[in-house]
Amino acid sequence: MTRLLPGLFVLLVLFIGCTDEFDLINDEVNIADGYQKTIVAYANFSPSNEYHYVRVNRGFSAEDFYAGANNQDSIQFAPDEVNVKIFRIRNNDTVKTYIARDTLIEKPESEYFNTNNVILYYFREPNLLGNNTTGNIKLGLEVEVGGDVAYSQTTPIKDFNFNFPPLLSTFDIAYEEERFKVEINKPDNSQAYRVIGIGRYREIVNMNGDYDTTLREFTFSVGNTYETQPSNGGIKAFYQSCGVFYDAIERDVLQNGDTVNAVERKFVDVAYHATAGNSDLALAQITGNAYTGFSDNQTTVSNMSNGLGLFSSYNEAQTRYYILSTPTEDSIITLYGNKYKFTR
């Protein structure tokens, strides 16, 4: 039985996907060249980032799947063979070209794949979309290996912000209420969305008369969804159970706090963080390829021409940190004052 080893890497806060779905399970892929020149490329760019990364691997077919996987040279091209270019395209005209350089990072060895050393290709551009963002803006990715060229395009996601809560409000969640609301102003061409809350509290520990204070941070889910069509603007509203906030507090205290020596905890503030991805990422979410971080898992979709892989875009926004309203602070103390030593 012939199997495909992608040796995949995904750079992402949240999602990964593609615009033109290609099913590696049901569609025939010609990789009869074995280890030679099946280009596999992954990139997920946010215009808000200063550095942008691409991973390039060699796809292959092999009868002895795991033996091939343990041969590091079998899934990576030598950097001197690889040329990676990124293009800023406006109204079908290339207005800027970037040449990516190679670098090497380390990651823990996985169960099946020898991926301690990961080769990445990167370039620096804190203004990826340029100053003129009118018209039809695209990003292009070209990977050339020994005369073979794989290419893809994706639609970038511009900056966006939150519509609710307002800037001057406090963080207000009442335990007795069923749900709370968060709204973002959807950026154009976005289709996949994720919002989390970030809570912070101080934990004071007494170790034999030596007091130490630690600022602890935890997250809680607000919403994770996609839409059927790319957005032309508007508002995306999320309604979440108030219980997820209080459950997250208790979970963090038990998992990360000092439950033996803590003498006091004081809640500090809360912020919201949102990620908006384009249609490439939405398709990946629909098909179950919503990877985060590094991954050596197989994927079932591709939007690379003359190769395999995914090229996509996202952007992020975050509110300021809101202090708690008095009712919210009182509710935390009522629930966890005696149990976990939360005080005003």
Side-chain angles (χ1 to χ4, degrees):
M1 177 179 178
T2 300
R3 304 177 71 175
L4 174 70
L5 172 65
L8 306 182
F9 171 72
V10 178
L11 281 166
L12 182 61
V13 171
L14 174 55
F15 317 95
I16 252 200
C18 63
T19 42
D20 299 318
E21 182 174 5
F22 190 93
D23 191 331
L24 301 185
I25 303 301
N26 299 315
D27 294 342
E28 183 177 352
V29 181
N30 182 12
I31 52 174
D33 289 341
Y35 295 168
Q36 299 309 310
K37 291 181 182 179
T38 302
I39 300 172
V40 184
Y42 287 89
N44 190 40
F45 291 166
S46 170
S48 297
N49 293 340
E50 182 175 359
Y51 291 90
H52 312 276
Y53 298 89
V54 180
R55 180 167 179 177
V56 178
N57 281 143
R58 173 167 41 196
F60 62 88
S61 60
E63 294 299 325
D64 191 346
F65 176 69
Y66 294 115
N70 287 319
N71 178 2
Q72 180 71 0
D73 291 338
S74 69
I75 64 172
Q76 292 184 354
F77 294 106
D80 58 5
E81 295 181 273
V82 180
N83 294 303
V84 178
K85 296 180 182 179
I86 296 87
F87 309 95
R88 183 195 304 158
I89 303 168
R90 180 160 48 86
N91 297 330
N92 296 321
D93 292 327
T94 299
V95 295
K96 191 163 186 178
T97 300
Y98 303 93
I99 307 298
R101 302 171 58 186
D102 64 277
T103 187
L104 190 68
I105 66 169
E106 294 184 359
K107 69 182 283 281
E109 185 174 352
S110 64
E111 182 179 1
Y112 299 118
F113 305 121
N114 180 12
T115 52
N116 282 343
N117 296 320
V118 178
I119 300 172
L120 299 180
Y121 300 85
Y122 76 96
F123 66 101
R124 179 181 178 273
E125 176 53 89
N127 187 20
L128 186 58
L129 300 186
N131 296 323
N132 186 355
T133 59
T134 61
N136 183 18
I137 305 295
K138 296 282 187 179
L139 297 174
L141 171 64
E142 179 185 284
V143 179
E144 187 271 330
V145 182
D148 290 341
V149 179
Y151 184 81
S152 185
Q153 286 190 5
T154 196
T155 302
I157 300 298
K158 300 178 184 179
D159 293 343
F160 66 101
N161 55 22
F162 281 77
N163 184 67
F164 186 89
L167 182 63
L168 299 178
S169 71
T170 58
F171 180 77
D172 188 16
I173 289 181
Y175 185 72
E176 63 275 7
E177 294 180 0
E178 293 184 359
R179 298 192 301 172
F180 65 95
K181 178 181 72 171
V182 179
E183 294 178 342
I184 62 172
N185 293 309
K186 297 187 295 185
D188 288 345
N189 301 308
S190 62
Q191 198 171 338
Y193 309 94
R194 182 188 183 213
V195 178
I196 62 170
I198 305 169
R200 303 192 298 186
Y201 64 92
R202 289 190 177 91
E203 181 181 73
I204 303 171
V205 173
N206 180 5
M207 297 288 290
N208 299 320
D210 184 14
Y211 289 85
D212 185 54
T213 301
T214 302
L215 180 64
R216 299 202 177 276
E217 182 177 287
F218 66 92
T219 63
F220 56 96
S221 174
V222 176
N224 184 7
T225 188
Y226 61 89
E227 296 185 344
T228 57
Q229 297 293 330
S231 168
N232 291 320
I235 294 174
K236 184 68 178 179
F238 296 88
Y239 296 90
Q240 181 57 276
S241 166
C242 293
V244 300
F245 169 68
Y246 295 95
D247 291 345
I249 297 173
E250 183 172 39
R251 182 170 57 251
D252 189 76
V253 170
L254 294 176
Q255 292 181 354
N256 303 311
D258 187 335
T259 57
V260 176
N261 301 299
V263 295
E264 187 178 51
R265 294 182 176 91
K266 295 184 178 181
F267 213 96
V268 180
D269 48 25
V270 173
Y272 293 114
H273 183 92
T275 304
N278 66 4
S279 57
D280 301 312
L281 301 183
L283 179 58
Q285 189 175 12
I286 294 169
T287 55
N289 287 276
Y291 294 113
T292 59
F294 294 102
S295 177
D296 283 316
N297 296 326
Q298 281 186 297
T299 186
T300 59
V301 290
S302 172
N303 67 347
M304 297 293 298
S305 298
N306 198 38
L308 301 173
L310 299 166
F311 184 35
S312 53
S313 178
Y314 71 101
N315 213 325
E316 298 175 289
Q318 183 166 317
T319 67
R320 69 175 180 89
Y321 279 89
Y322 297 97
I323 61 172
L324 271 60
S325 66
T326 299
T328 302
E329 190 174 39
D330 288 343
S331 66
I332 294 173
I333 295 171
T334 299
L335 283 171
Y336 300 135
N338 293 329
K339 193 175 184 180
Y340 300 123
K341 300 180 174 63
F342 275 94
T343 65
R344 191 175 307 282

